[in-house]
Amino acid sequence: MKPPPFDYRAPRTLEEALEDLAEGGKVLAGGQSLIPLLNMRLAAPERLIDINGVASLDALEVTAAGVRAGALARHAAVERSAEAAAVQPLLRQALRHVAHPVIRNRGTVVGSLAHADPAAELPAVLALLDGHVEAASASGRRTVAAADFFTGPLESALRPEELATAAFFPALPPRTGTAFAELARRHGDYALVGAAALVTLDDDLRVRAARAAYLGVADTPVVLDLTGPAVQGQEGRPPGAVDWSAAAAHAVARVNPGGDIHAGADYRRHLVGVLTGRALAEAARNAPPGGT
Amino acid sequence: MSGEPVFEITMTVNGVRRGARAPARRLLSDFLRHDLGLTGTHVGCEHGVCGCCTVLMDGDPVRSCLTLAITAAGHEITTVEGLAPGDGEPSPVQRAFQECHGLQCGFCTPGFLCTVTALLRDNPRPTDEEVLEGISGNLCRCTGYQNIVASVHRAAELIAESGDGS
Ligand SMILES: Cc1cc2nc3c(=O)[nH]c(=O)nc-3n(C[C@H](O)[C@H](O)[C@H](O)COP(=O)(O)OP(=O)(O)OC[C@H]3O[C@@H](n4cnc5c(N)ncnc54)[C@H](O)[C@@H]3O)c2cc1C
Ligand code: FES
Ligand code: FES
């Protein structure tokens, strides 16, 4: 199990990286997905562009608008950031489910999005929050909305010559709570199914909106608006007393997971119901009653 | 390996500047073991699952089988050979694993020792749950983990007693 040979580039600046990429090749970020593929010879890129020496890419910027993670912001750094957790708590909630702490020391948030594994947590987070990815190539820059970014299993809208320079996760709206729930065979493994949830309360602290995003049920993250079934027939109930079963049933009816050696389609569908209920209830509990 | 370019790769390993010539595809695990002769770092799965190749890079535990040696060039690497202070005495974490029978065959042990050394540096008094989370990426086929968890708590005690926090 050794990587096949490749031409190696170690650019020091973003411009150099983009010039290297224009000649063709694959980006090496944390390597926590790419190097296993190389070791098992499931990938044999002709050239690797190792961006670990591009210091400007490791920025983690937190503003009132949201969290912007540069291409070298490691999972562990984002998970540890109290500022990021205050502005967008879903990031830390989800990152705790991404692999093991040691893998998170190297793996990057942007790399996880670019890798676009259908069982990965962060694509579902970006999709639920309507975030975006910033891409750059030698010929220009563009921003790709989450809804357009994930195009298939392990496929993103990034062009071969493009580097994803950063990902932006918008801040939580006021009176909103989030939660993340998943089921994996072993803690730290890729999940069978996972659900990220977001619940917003109104001025009277009743549920006004409920949305969830799922991983492991399709080739790309699935985002569902569950506001209707979450609100109907619950008038007057405080968020802690809402019955989420209608929302869970609604979600189950709208996903169409496949089966594989890890779990059958019926079991995955069942998990969508269970995890929807859990994640929505916790998100509602996490919604701050105050102005933020 | 005819025609494959080789690079002069240097890094600080256990406090000493070390270098060797290797191709870009050389994994850090193989660089340490084959090029530098430091066979304390073990290699099991080579795809990030077992944890026995874990070393410290600039103080943080990383998988040496999922890091290219050339990416680690210029960084500080600590392997199991570098955990003891150098006076012949084992480190507190090593002592605790010995006292509590935290190892049997020893294959997984270098990875556990590196992981736990960093864990206790960041969190000197972990709860059971924090220990389990901290070592969740390291597999052991012998001990059943009970004695490893006990070793981590014992190591925390030894470090607190010695009062130097290292
Ligand atoms: C044992 C193990 C368990 C894991 N479990 C999980 C899990 O439960 N959930 C999960 O989500 N992940 C898991 N992972 C994967 C981990 O999260 C990776 O870190 C992540 O998927 C990829 O990030 P990276 O920085 O390591 O990317 P790399 O491995 O460096 O790259 C991955 C791919 O993305 C491309 N890429 C990376 N960065 C960019 C960029 N800036 N621009 C353009 N392309 C880019 C690369 O070219 C490559 O194709 C696991 C990994 C291991 C080894
Ligand atoms: S050999 Fe590196 S994790 Fe198994
Ligand atoms: S002691 Fe044998 S594998 Fe852990």
Side-chain angles (χ1 to χ4, degrees), chain A residues 81-163:
Chain A
S81 164
E83 294 79 21
V87 167
Q88 185 41 267
L90 184 56
L91 271 174
R92 181 184 280 179
Q93 290 164 344
L95 279 165
R96 292 200 162 139
H97 295 277
V98 175
H100 307 287
V102 176
I103 306 281
R104 297 202 290 271
N105 281 341
R106 290 298 295 166
T108 64
V109 165
V110 172
S112 178
L113 299 171
H115 191 58
D117 192 304
E121 288 80 4
L122 295 173
V125 168
L126 192 79
L128 181 67
L129 299 176
D130 285 326
H132 63 250
V133 174
E134 298 169 21
S137 71
S139 51
R141 289 168 180 259
R142 64 183 181 127
T143 294
V144 187
D148 303 321
F149 188 76
F150 305 102
T151 54
L154 305 179
E155 278 170 32
S156 79
L158 286 174
R159 300 183 191 119
E161 72 281 10
E162 273 181 328
L163 179 76

Side-chain angles (χ1 to χ4, degrees), chain B residues 102-109 112 139-143 148:
Chain B
L103 65 147
Q104 289 178 22
C105 79
F107 195 81
C108 68
T109 312
F112 272 99
L139 301 183
C140 174
R141 299 304 303 270
C142 298
T143 63
I148 292 181

Side-chain angles (χ1 to χ4, degrees), chain B residues 42-54 63-66:
Chain B
H42 290 173
V43 168
C45 67
E46 292 191 312
H47 61 279
V49 174
C50 73
C52 71
C53 69
T54 305
R63 298 286 199 245
S64 61
C65 75
L66 297 188

Side-chain angles (χ1 to χ4, degrees), chain A residues 1-6 8 28 30-32 35-36 39-41 48 50 52 100-106 187, chain B residues 4 7 24-25 27 30 45-48 54 57 60-63 65-68 70-71 115 133-134 136-138:
Chain A
M1 301 242 304
K2 308 294 168 199
F6 45 77
Y8 178 79
L28 174 69
Q32 305 300 289
I35 295 185
N39 286 356
M40 293 187 269
R41 305 241 170 160
L48 275 198
D50 182 345
N52 284 281
H100 307 287
V102 176
I103 306 281
R104 297 202 290 271
N105 281 341
R106 290 298 295 166
H187 177 70
Chain B
E4 189 177 359
F7 298 80
R25 61 172 161 147
L27 300 172
D30 290 338
C45 67
E46 292 191 312
H47 61 279
T54 305
M57 179 157 150
D60 290 327
V62 303
R63 298 286 199 245
C65 75
L66 297 188
T67 308
L68 298 178
I70 198 165
T71 304
T115 305
E133 167 71 9
S136 62
N138 292 71

